Amino acid sequence: LRQGWPEVVYGEGKSAEQCVAVAERLVERSAGFLVTRADSAVRSALVARFPSAVENAVGRTVRLGVRTNGAAATVCVVTAGTTDLPVAEECAETLLACGLRPERVTDVGVAGVHRLLARTASIRQADAVVVIAGMDGALPSVVGGLVAGPVIAVPTSVGYGAAFGGLAPLLTMLNSCAAGVVVVNIDNGFGAAMAAARMLAGRTSDAA
Amino acid sequence: LRQGWPEVVYGEGKSAEQCVAVAERLVERSAGFLVTRADSAVRSALVARFPSAVENAVGRTVRLGVRTNGAAATVCVVTAGTTDLPVAEECAETLLACGLRPERVTDVGVAGVHRLLARTASIRQADAVVVIAGMDGALPSVVGGLVAGPVIAVPTSVGYGAAFGGLAPLLTMLNSCAAGVVVVNIDNGFGAAMAAARMLAGRTSDAA
Amino acid sequence: LRQGWPEVVYGEGKSAEQCVAVAERLVERSAGFLVTRADSAVRSALVARFPSAVENAVGRTVRLGVRTNGAAATVCVVTAGTTDLPVAEECAETLLACGLRPERVTDVGVAGVHRLLARTASIRQADAVVVIAGMDGALPSVVGGLVAGPVIAVPTSVGYGAAFGGLAPLLTMLNSCAAGVVVVNIDNGFGAAMAAARMLAGRTSDAA
Amino acid sequence: LRQGWPEVVYGEGKSAEQCVAVAERLVERSAGFLVTRADSAVRSALVARFPSAVENAVGRTVRLGVRTNGAAATVCVVTAGTTDLPVAEECAETLLACGLRPERVTDVGVAGVHRLLARTASIRQADAVVVIAGMDGALPSVVGGLVAGPVIAVPTSVGYGAAFGGLAPLLTMLNSCAAGVVVVNIDNGFGAAMAAARMLAGRTSDAA
Amino acid sequence: LRQGWPEVVYGEGKSAEQCVAVAERLVERSAGFLVTRADSAVRSALVARFPSAVENAVGRTVRLGVRTNGAAATVCVVTAGTTDLPVAEECAETLLACGLRPERVTDVGVAGVHRLLARTASIRQADAVVVIAGMDGALPSVVGGLVAGPVIAVPTSVGYGAAFGGLAPLLTMLNSCAAGVVVVNIDNGFGAAMAAARMLAGRTSDAA
Amino acid sequence: LRQGWPEVVYGEGKSAEQCVAVAERLVERSAGFLVTRADSAVRSALVARFPSAVENAVGRTVRLGVRTNGAAATVCVVTAGTTDLPVAEECAETLLACGLRPERVTDVGVAGVHRLLARTASIRQADAVVVIAGMDGALPSVVGGLVAGPVIAVPTSVGYGAAFGGLAPLLTMLNSCAAGVVVVNIDNGFGAAMAAARMLAGRTSDAA
Amino acid sequence: LRQGWPEVVYGEGKSAEQCVAVAERLVERSAGFLVTRADSAVRSALVARFPSAVENAVGRTVRLGVRTNGAAATVCVVTAGTTDLPVAEECAETLLACGLRPERVTDVGVAGVHRLLARTASIRQADAVVVIAGMDGALPSVVGGLVAGPVIAVPTSVGYGAAFGGLAPLLTMLNSCAAGVVVVNIDNGFGAAMAAARMLAGRTSDAA
Amino acid sequence: LRQGWPEVVYGEGKSAEQCVAVAERLVERSAGFLVTRADSAVRSALVARFPSAVENAVGRTVRLGVRTNGAAATVCVVTAGTTDLPVAEECAETLLACGLRPERVTDVGVAGVHRLLARTASIRQADAVVVIAGMDGALPSVVGGLVAGPVIAVPTSVGYGAAFGGLAPLLTMLNSCAAGVVVVNIDNGFGAAMAAARMLAGRTSDAA
Ligand SMILES: Nc1ncnc2c1ncn2[C@@H]1O[C@H](COP(=O)(O)O)[C@@H](O)[C@H]1O
Ligand SMILES: Nc1ncnc2c1ncn2[C@@H]1O[C@H](COP(=O)(O)O)[C@@H](O)[C@H]1O
Ligand SMILES: Nc1ncnc2c1ncn2[C@@H]1O[C@H](COP(=O)(O)O)[C@@H](O)[C@H]1O
Ligand SMILES: Nc1ncnc2c1ncn2[C@@H]1O[C@H](COP(=O)(O)O)[C@@H](O)[C@H]1O
Ligand SMILES: [Mg+2]
Ligand SMILES: [Mg+2]
Ligand SMILES: [Mg+2]
Ligand SMILES: [Mg+2]
Ligand SMILES: [Mg+2]
Ligand SMILES: [Mg+2]
Ligand SMILES: [Mg+2]
Ligand SMILES: [Mg+2]
């Protein structure tokens, strides 16, 4: 049913052996795999078994096989702070696995809005934008006002106290005053990338 | 900034006079308007003042000016039950205002999954799908597994008790086991349409 | 009062010694026992002491004595994903302890609804169905529309972010659009089996 | 799909005209109907149009056609206080529509536990028990310890303050210390009856 | 104890007679009063009795006596949307009652961030800034990054669905990524002004 | 201010050294002390330093000095299940420290109501009753109907899933259908005892 | 079971006819009654039928028969603000119905702590203290530090925004830093009085 | 933008190496740094690298460079209990980093209000007051009534059960009956100090 998309293994709670076994089965059947939420033991085991696989330690992923060509559509992955990077890297790896090109714009939280505005051109050039923010989760509202294309907001569990594990930015994003911003689950960089893939399937970059 | 999109007036809490005044200002400046969350007094006043405007009583909207041409991209608006229709009609009217073509598939709640499966072909043909459901909010998960394109989920405040005004389907949709489903605010048919417009801007129908 | 049912020991927070002691007391008095939520130390101690006891590592149970005969009523235990298996196995072991026959149908989450439909006949044949799902918790709504008999829904704490430890599927199931679906506590595979036992006490399988 | 069960119309938010129209369509097709959540205007219109229909003002229902015969299985409907009666009557009417016989045991809240114990025999005789309570929602835990058969708990929105519209008794019931008690949505007398119908379909009374 | 500050009467739930009576007692004792949350009946009665009192229909207040002189410190009252105006006007009236000068900057929601930036100079000139926003509540985070002085954030109950009566912007503001932003209760324009008065008591405008 | 009552040290998060130091200061000044929430290291250090002190490992307390005489008022400490015992023992130790006599009635959860009724006489004899329960928290409602004297309800964090760390029994108890039942914080055995001490200060047992 | 206490009718949602009927039945059987949560229609009907009954319009009660004699124990009913008075009067009427003497101390909210301290002697003299507060609910913590006897805290639904219908003061009171303060449901003046009656049954005033 | 303020590094989740690297970069550029939420490994590494840096073990900070002169404005940091000290020390260190003088008033919880009143003069003398409290969070309401200047309330996650990780005191403070009290996030001693810095920037002490 999900034709044309890679198999993504959710590594949370799976042992290194289990992950390697699933990966082997996928490699037999197809061209590649992506394992997300892989702790360092899982990542080491996968890279040892598949030397050509790419480990992303920040994003906690291991990926084998890339289908992205030069004309691939681009997705801008925008983050508010450095603590949001693990979610951004999970997103970027999933985009690559789907044949899309991630472009990162980092550390442009709204409390320093001029840093964000300085990057407006790069953000507008992308075919879709994923905006990742914790705490106040305000960034997608500003970005949504700067670009006309799709904006996918990802709340993160970054923060403490009244952040309530990501509930605060989740509610912020669901109530975004920028019309047409859409939201995925807390920390779900994978889901944001899959949403972009649904939107851009088969498209080459507008910028290309 | 929001170039190419219509002005949409949020009618909630505005009097008939206020809505007519805003509409007049918009008509002076541009080709049309859409007023949402308009009660019957507001709707009557707008239609009286702008006889060519279209009233949608179920969706509680009044719209003036349509930019949709025959080749417009299509958006399938799928609803679980009849109580979800007001949100679906608000969505459909906003799609029309954005130059997109809504196609309605109604009454296909997951408790009668064969009714939904019978409509799979129509749903797959659309360029994007908006899925609207209250109570258990389960419909987007099933639809997300049936189509490869964009799926925008809208929880509704339909239901009682542990539905908690739409919280139940909202959480369901944020946790959809179909990867890449995106979510907007409870009852936000307008926002779902704007999200589709962000995705499909400038595109003609794949089906065309 | 609870005549005819086995004693079930809730192992959470009990030491291996405490569990063995309780089990010994039960064996003196009756034919068997079931210990649930038993960590591996508890399970090892019980199996060492009662060599004929059956350990279920996935379900985290140890059981001694089965009263199920060939004509026992059957309960279909349906799960959405592999992470739901511990709850399913706790349920299956409790069913066995109550003299009922569990039949497992696994990995039929609603995002791949055709996999579920392929199993419809097996599910319909059972005298009762237990449906176990985390994340969106959508599976009981679909199953409830496929079968006419009792459907007992068990939300699991599988998931992250807006799953809120099982709250999301719990609310989904309480609001199921399939009429007459009933719900037990999050991760309560034991409770679902006991509910089935209340319904099927003294009955032989309809399928028999 | 739901073969053998009556059509039940959810009257909330429907006009008298809409309800009569739906009822007419059902009567053309089948032997009867049940309209729930019907306000007095809806009820009057239905009774005027179908003089043989039965109005239940407390339960806010109108029902046409009963299939219950003398040997029907019985369901005991137990309530804690008088304010729980509307939910109990909705349940009783739905039971009748499903061919089951309701037996009412009222005003047996746990703060006067001897009043409840005095009714133990009647409660045990039924084929299933529906227990309806608001506020502390404690009644199903006590009843669940008194009977071996199915116990379906219904929290009600009766109460104020920390009852939070039924959340308090809902949580109580999900955490019932009586094993195997199952729960439906707040105020969902209809759902409790349908659950009983799923359990007792085709059975004659044990007591008969 | 609260020396130097005006008496502010909370009009919610008080009748016109009660409010006039309290106002009369205050006028006997002192130079003026402010009644907040006054519905139109209360406002009419107060203005009829005290013809020199000032009614603010949007802010739902009536005020008698102003102590503001030309050199008063200024407080910039910034609002995201027009629906936030009642809270802003309650705030402005309370500022006036405390001898401070309100300066309004309206309709500068973050989805159109350039409109906000165009007003930066005016906002920076004030001795303190009150920022009022509903829905995503993102505005204080951006303003907090633009000014070095005190920023008092007021969430409003504007919005629907997952705004949860102001909970969403409240959490956003408590988690503001702009350091040192402080928060008051939902819709509490009065409290924000009193906070400014605590900060600026006895100060003349920096801009003066 | 709190004349006549012992000093109670809250051991949570304090080191063994800190606890011994505080205890030494108290012993210098007065006749005794009670340390609650003391882990085993803290308890060992206290008992080593004050050999006549009494350790209660289940209740996680160390107490020095008892003022209870034979005529002391009695407080019945009733628990639903064995997992509630730590809270009950913390309560009993605090009662002793306040010169009251605890009488324990354990394992009388409402799912086996006859076990509770068999103890009615003992419960009624006490001058006050503390009722401790987790999960459904139903026990105080039944006890409140059996005795005419003070009933202090303590919810515990025992349970999982929808128990939400004690929220479920807390809400149950606040909504008790037995009039005049009062509630303290989750797991607060100490607070319940202090409440009893406030009620019974200077009284000898009614039973005496 | 509840020997010696008056029958209290909960008037919420009952018609004037229903309340009069219940009252007549009670008068036949006993010496009196108390109806709480009685709207003005119910109160008028009761007073018309029972001319010697006492109406309390603020407390929304009607009471017939008082058993208080001169030596009755006294309960001090302390309130933070004028909006808390309805709950205080419901409490006072219930105290009278139970043969206890209420003494009111009003308008002593903690933001003006010296007003409260000026009343310390009166508060200490009572046999028990009921403390009623909304919004921050801080008053019981201060009162609990001033008196050694029983303190019963009642949160009220007074306030707006983050008061969440009384949730804020409820949580405050459950977490009171004054040991041994007990809590009843939001707005439950009746329950606080019944708690006092449980504590003081059969006692004459200490002050007497 | 944030001219004149020190760089503050949020140490949570950063390694010792990362923190030292950031600190080195800051020291190259400017006169100093403050690292907050630094565990003991981070603190040791920073002090080893910058021997003149000041470690605050309770506050979990390391600070290099103080700009406070004798005439600096003062901020009184008031705490309810000893468990609130980590937040107070984080606040004090941030104040010092901003050139303000902290004055500590500790252990003045409202359950012993006379201890607090004995410190009134010291508290009133400060240019601003930060009030830190967990559990009931009542202290800011009392302090807010004692002083006319700015009061910044900080809820802490101290407590258990219904404290819900600081939610209880957060709500208390947002609903403070003392007008003009402002609130920051749970445990956010840093934010409270930055708020004071926004208010007092460039001011010398009123007391000076
Ligand atoms: N990081 C992630 N977050 C959420 N879902 C994921 C993630 N990674 C993979 N998935 C989903 O989990 C499914 C695989 O689950 P599993 O069979 O347990 O490995 C994939 O098909 C994805 O839909
Ligand atoms: N996994 C489980 N989840 C919930 N309740 C259980 C579970 N296993 C056993 N129980 C219940 O716990 C009771 C035994 O508790 P205990 O006496 O603490 O061992 C049994 O009678 C069951 O009702
Ligand atoms: N709009 C408002 N929101 C919150 N508190 C208010 C408001 N207006 C007045 N108050 C407070 O309410 C107090 C007066 O309450 P009352 O005595 O009931 O009129 C004043 O001293 C203020 O502290
Ligand atoms: N204001 C009140 N709040 C809570 N419970 C009440 C109140 N007034 C009466 N009750 C309780 O409600 C019971 C009567 O309920 P009812 O039979 O519906 O009149 C009494 O026995 C009291 O326990
Ligand atoms: Mg941000
Ligand atoms: Mg659905
Ligand atoms: Mg599922
Ligand atoms: Mg009950
Ligand atoms: Mg905004
Ligand atoms: Mg219990
Ligand atoms: Mg108060
Ligand atoms: Mg405090």
Side-chain angles (χ1 to χ4, degrees), chain H residues 8-16 18-19 34-39 42 60:
Chain H
V8 183
V9 180
Y10 180 60
E12 192 78 57
K14 299 213 174 82
S15 67
Q18 288 175 307
C19 287
L34 172 66
V35 182
T36 64
R37 309 284 162 112
D39 59 34
V42 168
R60 300 178 57 221

Side-chain angles (χ1 to χ4, degrees), chain D residues 141 175 177, chain F residues 79-81 84 108-111 132-140 173:
Chain D
S141 291
N175 287 286
C177 54
Chain F
T79 46
D84 301 317
V108 292
V110 301
I132 301 173
M135 295 168 65
D136 58 23
L139 193 53
M173 292 168 182

